[in-house]
Amino acid sequence: MREASLDKLKAFLTLLPSMILVGVFVYGFIGNTIWTSMTDWGGSGAMALEPQKHFVGLENYIDLFTGFLGGNFRQDLVNAVYYSVMLLAGAVGLGMFIAILLDQKPKGEDLLRTIFLYPMSLSFIVSGTIWRWLLAPQGGVNVLPKYLGFEPLTFKWLSSQSAVLVFNWQDILRILVYVAAFILILVGVFKLKKDAGRAMKRWLIPGIVLGALVWVFGSILPDALFMEEEHGFNLATLGIIIATIWQYSGYTMALYLAGFNGISQDLRDAAMLDGASHAGYYRHVAIPMLKPITISAVIILSHISLKMFDLIFAMTGPDNAATGHPALNMYLTTFRGNEFSKGAAIAIVLFLIAAMFIVPYLVGQYRQQGRR
Amino acid sequence: MKKAFAKMLIVFAAALLIGAPQAAQASDLKGELEIFSWWAGDEGPALDALIEIYKKENPGVKVINATVTGGSGVNAQAVLKTRMLGGEPPDSFQVHAGQELIGTWVKADRMEDLTPLFKEQGWLDAFPEGLIKLIGTDKGIWSVPVNVHRSNVMWYIPANLKKWGVQAPKTWDDFLAIAPKLKAEGVVPLALAQNWTANHLWESVALASMGADNWDALWAGKLSFDSPEVVKAWELYGKVLQYTNSDASSLSWQQATDMVVDGRAAFNIMGDWAAGYMSTTKKLAPGEGYGWLASPGTEGTFMFLADSFGLPKGSPHRDNAVAWLKVLGSQEGSDAFNPLKGSISARKDSDLSKYNAYSQSAAKDWNSNRVVGSLVHGVAANDTFKNGFASIMEMFLKAKNPQAAAKACAQLAKKAGI
């Protein structure tokens, strides 16, 4: 008994320094940033030795989401969503596809693996510069068809001004409720097979009712803005998405390949013996077994997509609304515009979005451990 | 052996005698001097020339050249801000003269008033009065300008214009008249590059549209940003934008200048560092190979920007820093620096024979024209406004709505305290 408590004390003392350091430098600073984001630190006196700060509550956040001058931040936020979705789909999909091909043990597999993994070792600023040249309006990709005797492409990978899937920010509340209704219905449809009654009661009916309510009474919901403001998926972001997928699909490939190699050959043979085709083996056996790998890839990549900075800086420059990103906006607002409180508010918004990805994962992990 | 020792003594004494007067001339300052700037690469040699002079005059001082690279100081300013907030100011730092210094550092009470130094060195007479007004407030003068660049210049290639049968436009109406013709020939009438060059074009167009008096009134807070004059400027700007290249946002300013040099575009509005680029990199002779005019509608007005150095409060080696500022403001320092940098001296008495044809013409205009401050390059407005303006510009490039842009500027100005 005594020895055990001594051990506990030792463990505690060993952990104490890092607990204090993490407490101060992670949680303390998060707290400080939250506090800063609720003040009015900025403007002409921002650099004073003792800057004047006043508590203003959520004003900075309200400004960002509904203020007249926050338009750029809102566009950046929309961009960030598209960056995340496309990067996840692209890098996970492509990485998995390459991993499946390499899993067939082609000749020179080691060499190919190295080649595909290599882009990871480049820094974003280097690959950004290379891709900037490749995607220049009159260069690289666009002149490729010329070598085959066709007309060169004219697509503006990085400087297109057009957008698709345009929506009006004014309607953001309505859109959010529609999305919520859609998700409810979707979950309901998936659960329909298992337990029809519960799926109806819990998911489908609330979803349909919610959707119908907005459809009929949507105009009661307040407008977010007094004027129309359109945001959408800017075609100029395509270039940046391509570069990011190129850089990170090798990484997901390595993750999946390790996973595939970890599946025992017996299992594969058994599946084949039962008459599974190659595609069937991957679809029903291998990929479901690698769910933890998929989840960790999604979490790491979503993190990266929220921290996109240097690649955009190198490819399209700091001021380009079409390809902007909240992280870039935060840096410019803080260190170029001297708006420290507003920069802090953007940081907290990003932090909350990142938490949206991480927290469910952590909760899931703890639950699994608890079950064990 | 003894003889050799005596000889050595004599040589040593002689050396002392010869060296002594020089040592008396040089200052007895000691310690270090940290100079914080963003001049590296092409601009490095010009800064080195200044440091050379300083070292000759103050041999006892160890100069630390703290450079943070990055065009127009984007990265350097972020580093500087974190250093200042952390209570670790450099001895002297580079900053664009005007509101970028006044609106950020002077308002925060972080700078020392340099008026005594200006009086002691006779700089109040050496620099043009208009310039001193723009780098000072009623409480003092805040920086020593090292160079002057002109922002409102239109560049073209005379041979190309002859080929297309057009003349360089004197007003924006002239430009709008010849632009469709150029476009029909497959030539981009006006080459444009990424965001900041769009802002740069805007300030030239706005200056032409509203005139120098209104321009000054705007920044003094006497003319509001949503007044009809400003809306008109945005409207004209929108018209001019129709004749620019559509891939602008992915080009650097050099690439836009290249379009003019290669004959893919007719004109380009850019600061006079473009002259240095065309003379040095493109090997064109000023006046013959490339031509210039004040940007349309702004003849007689010199829109300036200047790099300058200030003295932060709490500078660790203050005396060394003051000696550095003296070198910067001197005629010798100015004429050593500017021909290498491709700019002109802010002083009225610089030696023009050291400069090329373009710089000579700019220097002539500098001494005779009405001087107004540039927005994009930190003279007219503080950082908050400048940063916000960049995003308003992006809004305008997308929606092309003059009313909304003017209104957004008015809100921004209120926030930035103009």
Side-chain angles (χ1 to χ4, degrees):
Chain A
M1 183 67 199
R2 238 176 153 191
E3 205 150 289
S5 69
L6 194 67
D7 269 357
K8 264 188 186 165
L9 186 70
K10 273 184 193 162
F12 178 74
L13 284 179
T14 318
L15 285 178
L16 190 64
S18 54
M19 270 159 64
I20 293 174
L21 288 177
V22 170
V24 172
F25 289 102
V26 177
Y27 296 98
F29 279 51
I30 290 174
N32 191 25
T33 309
I34 293 176
W35 159 246
T36 304
S37 74
M38 293 190 179
T39 64
D40 61 353
W41 185 15
S44 49
M47 288 293 163
L49 262 180
E50 296 289 332
Q52 298 264 324
K53 295 184 212 174
H54 307 282
F55 183 77
V56 294
L58 294 176
E59 199 177 286
N60 284 314
Y61 296 93
I62 295 168
D63 251 19
L64 283 178
F65 284 96
T66 61
F68 190 49
L69 290 175
N72 254 46
F73 168 75
R74 297 190 280 272
Q75 176 66 67
D76 290 350
L77 207 59
V78 174
N79 284 349
V81 170
Y82 284 116
Y83 280 138
S84 301
V85 172
M86 305 278 277
L87 173 62
L88 285 179
V92 172
L94 190 63
M96 192 191 283
F97 181 66
I98 299 174
I100 289 174
L101 290 186
L102 287 184
D103 196 35
Q104 312 306 312
K105 310 283 182 252
K107 238 186 188 172
E109 183 211 342
D110 289 344
L111 181 70
L112 285 173
R113 198 170 32 185
T114 315
I115 289 175
F116 285 124
L117 194 55
Y118 205 68
M120 252 287 276
S121 69
L122 290 179
S123 78
F124 261 142
I125 213 89
V126 173
S127 59
T129 311
I130 297 170
W131 277 98
R132 186 198 174 114
W133 289 330
L134 285 178
L135 298 177
Q138 276 118 23
V141 174
N142 276 0
V143 292
L144 273 183
K146 247 173 142 175
Y147 296 111
L148 302 173
F150 297 106
E151 283 288 294
L153 297 173
T154 53
F155 190 76
K156 299 192 179 73
W157 293 99
L158 296 174
S159 51
S160 167
Q161 293 275 347
S162 34
V164 292
L165 301 172
V166 176
F167 69 94
N168 193 343
W169 188 268
Q170 224 175 10
D171 305 328
I172 189 75
L173 286 177
R174 264 153 267 168
I175 292 170
L176 285 179
V177 180
Y178 273 130
V179 169
F182 179 72
I183 291 174
L184 284 176
I185 293 172
L186 207 65
V187 173
V189 169
F190 268 107
K191 299 225 163 163
L192 210 52
K193 256 193 209 160
K194 263 194 213 154
D195 184 350
R198 224 177 119 185
M200 284 299 258
K201 220 160 77 190
R202 275 248 176 121
W203 304 98
L204 272 178
I205 293 175
I208 292 169
V209 169
L210 199 61
L213 276 179
V214 198
W215 179 266
V216 181
F217 301 108
S219 49
I220 297 175
L221 282 175
D223 284 344
L225 295 173
F226 62 90
M227 50 154 205
E228 295 200 349
E229 183 181 286
E230 297 195 319
H231 298 303
F233 174 54
N234 289 304
L235 293 182
T237 53
L238 272 178
I240 289 168
I241 290 168
I242 290 173
T244 330
I245 291 177
W246 174 79
Q247 185 145 11
Y248 273 97
S249 54
Y251 171 65
T252 44
M253 174 212 74
L255 284 181
Y256 277 115
L257 208 52
F260 286 146
N261 286 339
I263 298 175
S264 77
Q265 188 64 33
D266 294 349
L267 201 63
R268 187 179 186 137
D269 292 342
M272 296 292 170
L273 212 63
D274 283 347
S277 64
H278 267 296
Y281 163 69
Y282 284 108
R283 178 157 149 41
H284 295 292
V285 180
I287 293 171
M289 279 185 76
L290 299 186
K291 204 170 144 199
I293 289 184
T294 307
I295 290 175
S296 55
V298 165
I299 287 192
I300 289 166
L301 288 175
S302 60
H303 234 240
I304 287 166
S305 72
L306 286 173
K307 289 189 291 197
M308 291 249 277
F309 184 95
D310 23 14
L311 192 69
I312 304 174
F313 210 106
M315 288 179 77
T316 55
D319 295 295
N320 193 330
T323 60
H325 191 282
L328 203 56
N329 194 338
M330 173 183 83
Y331 174 76
L332 295 175
T333 310
T334 315
F335 290 112
R336 202 174 67 179
N338 296 346
E339 297 282 316
F340 288 89
S341 61
K342 193 158 266 180
I346 299 176
I348 294 299
V349 170
L350 273 176
F351 174 69
L352 291 178
I353 298 174
M356 259 165 50
F357 284 101
I358 304 283
V359 170
Y361 170 73
L362 289 181
V363 169
Q365 289 286 308
Y366 281 131
R367 266 199 199 154
Q368 264 179 12
Q369 277 176 8
R371 242 178 263 156
R372 270 177 217 159
Chain B
M1 196 63 193
K2 243 183 189 174
K3 242 184 183 173
F5 185 67
K7 254 188 195 164
M8 252 171 72
L9 260 184
I10 291 170
V11 170
F12 190 63
L16 262 183
L17 275 176
I18 297 168
Q22 272 179 351
Q25 239 177 28
S27 72
D28 45 6
L29 290 172
K30 278 197 187 67
E32 293 174 345
L33 170 74
E34 190 189 9
I35 304 164
F36 188 92
S37 78
W38 59 82
W39 280 330
D42 291 348
E43 294 160 322
L47 178 65
D48 289 341
L50 283 174
I51 293 177
E52 226 27 68
I53 296 177
Y54 182 83
K55 276 184 179 161
K56 224 183 336 172
E57 287 178 10
N58 308 286
V61 179
K62 188 176 164 235
V63 177
I64 301 166
N65 183 2
T67 315
V68 178
T69 55
S72 74
V74 198
N75 307 327
Q77 280 169 21
V79 174
L80 178 67
K81 279 169 191 174
T82 49
R83 279 189 62 170
M84 292 288 269
L85 282 174
E88 191 204 346
D91 291 316
S92 177
F93 64 83
Q94 177 190 8
V95 65
H96 286 128
Q99 285 299 321
E100 191 175 304
L101 171 71
I102 294 166
T104 305
W105 301 112
V106 176
K107 277 260 169 67
D109 196 24
R110 289 300 197 102
M111 304 304 291
E112 281 197 34
D113 178 14
L114 298 175
T115 317
L117 187 68
F118 270 69
K119 280 190 180 141
E120 178 199 314
Q121 299 287 317
W123 288 343
L124 289 173
D125 302 318
F127 294 113
E129 206 178 324
L131 173 65
I132 289 184
K133 235 188 257 162
L134 282 164
I135 59 172
T137 58
D138 48 358
K139 292 203 186 85
I141 303 172
W142 303 104
S143 67
V144 179
V146 205
N147 63 359
V148 164
H149 277 296
R150 186 175 195 173
S151 132
N152 60 327
V153 193
M154 174 178 249
W155 307 94
Y156 56 89
I157 305 292
N160 283 345
L161 292 198
K162 207 178 264 173
K163 200 171 70 193
W164 299 320
V166 293
Q167 287 213 315
K170 293 247 179 213
T171 65
W172 284 112
D173 285 341
D174 289 353
F175 173 79
L176 293 173
I178 59 171
K181 193 181 154 218
L182 287 166
K183 213 174 176 181
E185 286 197 42
V187 178
V188 176
L190 190 68
L192 191 69
Q194 64 203 22
N195 178 290
W196 75 266
T197 70
N199 298 337
H200 189 111
L201 175 63
W202 184 85
E203 69 180 17
S204 280
V205 173
L207 177 64
S209 170
M210 62 176 82
D213 286 333
N214 279 336
W215 179 261
D216 281 346
L218 197 61
W219 303 112
K222 287 171 193 144
L223 180 71
S224 107
F225 274 86
D226 47 6
S227 62
E229 286 91 339
V230 187
V231 176
K232 235 174 78 190
W234 279 104
E235 276 165 8
L236 176 61
Y237 180 69
K239 277 186 211 154
V240 172
L241 272 187
Q242 292 172 2
Y243 297 107
T244 57
N245 42 316
S246 60
D247 58 352
S249 65
S250 59
L251 302 183
S252 67
W253 72 265
Q254 286 97 334
Q255 284 171 315
T257 309
D258 285 345
M259 287 177 72
V260 177
V261 173
D262 302 346
R264 278 177 288 143
F267 304 103
N268 178 222
I269 307 263
M270 189 33 62
D272 57 10
W273 42 93
Y277 177 67
M278 285 190 278
S279 309
T280 316
T281 312
K282 294 278 154 187
K283 308 260 181 275
L284 297 172
E288 292 146 32
Y290 66 89
W292 64 88
L293 270 182
S295 67
T298 63
E299 213 189 319
T301 312
F302 190 109
M303 189 178 263
F304 98 104
L305 57 126
D307 290 304
S308 71
F309 280 83
L311 183 61
K313 278 187 178 166
S315 152
H317 310 93
R318 190 178 173 281
D319 293 341
N320 296 350
V322 170
W324 165 247
L325 294 179
K326 281 181 190 165
V327 172
L328 296 179
S330 70
Q331 192 192 8
E332 187 199 0
S334 202
D335 284 338
F337 176 82
N338 284 305
L340 287 173
K341 172 79 164 69
S343 46
I344 59 172
S345 168
R347 293 176 66 102
K348 291 191 271 190
D349 56 356
S350 70
D351 179 4
L352 284 182
S353 65
K354 289 185 176 168
Y355 296 85
N356 74 8
Y358 168 74
S359 297
Q360 284 176 9
S361 102
K364 212 181 94 216
D365 288 347
W366 171 247
N367 287 323
S368 59
N369 279 1
R370 162 92 182 256
V371 173
V372 296
S374 152
L375 159 68
V376 191
H377 305 286
V379 185
N382 60 19
D383 287 351
T384 305
F385 187 89
K386 228 175 72 180
N387 183 54
F389 189 82
S391 36
I392 290 174
M393 177 57 71
E394 285 294 325
M395 260 161 69
F396 184 79
L397 290 176
K398 206 168 104 190
K400 303 256 164 45
N401 183 342
Q403 289 286 352
K407 242 187 224 144
C409 281
Q411 275 217 352
L412 179 62
K414 209 164 73 191
K415 209 173 87 184
I418 292 176

